[in-house]
């Protein structure tokens, strides 16, 4: 896959990542109800945590988007985003096993994050292959 593909992939991944939690960042209770169909109105103690989660993931989305055009931040951004997304998918699976009704709310997030992790892994694999091909030969 070529450079144009990866730039487009990273821009789309960044936009998806930042738009998903944006409502929860702006309004943790209403945003989480809107995006995940989870009612936090009786769980006031979680409001700061959800708002914090929202702004962190929006920030990761912005970084992924910018990494499409800025190769200097790409590797570190994608490593962190991959770890975060693996954690989210794992948490979704845990929730599906322990509370399937609530866990169903995370299926769209799990699908989007899984696809991005696969894409990032392919990107890293291809980058390693390209780097291997252009290594100088020492005589």
């Amino acid at each position: 896959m070529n450079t144009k593909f990866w730039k487009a992939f990273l821009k789309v991944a960044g936009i998806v990542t930042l738009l998903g939690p944006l409502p929860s960042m702006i309004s943790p209770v209403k945003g989480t109800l809107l995006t995940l169909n989870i009612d936090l109105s009786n769980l006031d103690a979680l409001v700061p945590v959800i708002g914090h989660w929202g702004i962190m993931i929006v920030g990761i989305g912005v970084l992924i988007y910018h990494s499409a055009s800025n190769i200097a931040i790409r590797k570190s951004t994608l490593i962190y985003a991959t770890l975060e997304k693996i954690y989210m998918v794992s948490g979704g699976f845990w929730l599906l096993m322990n509370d399937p009704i609530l866990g169903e709310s995370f299926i769209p997030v799990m699908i989007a994050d899984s696809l991005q992790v696969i894409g990032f892994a392919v990107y890293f694999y291809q980058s390693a292959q390209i780097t291997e091909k252009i290594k100088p030969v020492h005589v």
Side-chain angles (χ1 to χ4, degrees), residues 10 17 52-64 67 73-89 113 116-117 120-121 123-124:
L10 293 173
T17 299
H52 183 256
W53 166 80
I55 198 164
M56 285 180 50
I57 305 307
V58 166
I60 292 169
V62 169
L63 285 172
I64 293 169
S67 76
I73 66 168
R74 190 175 296 166
K75 183 177 179 182
S76 58
T77 296
L78 297 186
I79 289 171
Y80 184 78
T82 300
L83 294 173
E84 177 274 321
K85 290 174 182 309
I86 289 171
Y87 185 84
M88 190 67 190
V89 171
D113 283 359
Q116 289 181 48
V117 166
F120 298 161
Y123 171 79
F124 282 126

Side-chain angles (χ1 to χ4, degrees), residues 82-131:
T82 300
L83 294 173
E84 177 274 321
K85 290 174 182 309
I86 289 171
Y87 185 84
M88 190 67 190
V89 171
S90 301
F93 276 120
W94 180 86
L95 197 55
L96 276 170
M97 291 186 295
N98 290 288
D99 189 348
I101 293 170
L102 187 58
E104 288 177 3
S105 299
F106 286 90
I107 290 174
V109 175
M110 293 168 59
I111 291 169
D113 283 359
S114 295
L115 291 172
Q116 289 181 48
V117 166
I118 292 166
F120 298 161
V122 170
Y123 171 79
F124 282 126
Y125 176 77
Q126 286 187 345
S127 295
Q129 295 296 97
I130 291 168
T131 303

Side-chain angles (χ1 to χ4, degrees), residues 4-19:
K4 286 183 182 180
F5 170 82
W6 287 116
K7 284 185 177 184
F9 179 84
L10 293 173
K11 285 184 177 186
V12 170
I15 290 169
V16 168
T17 299
L18 75 90
L19 287 180

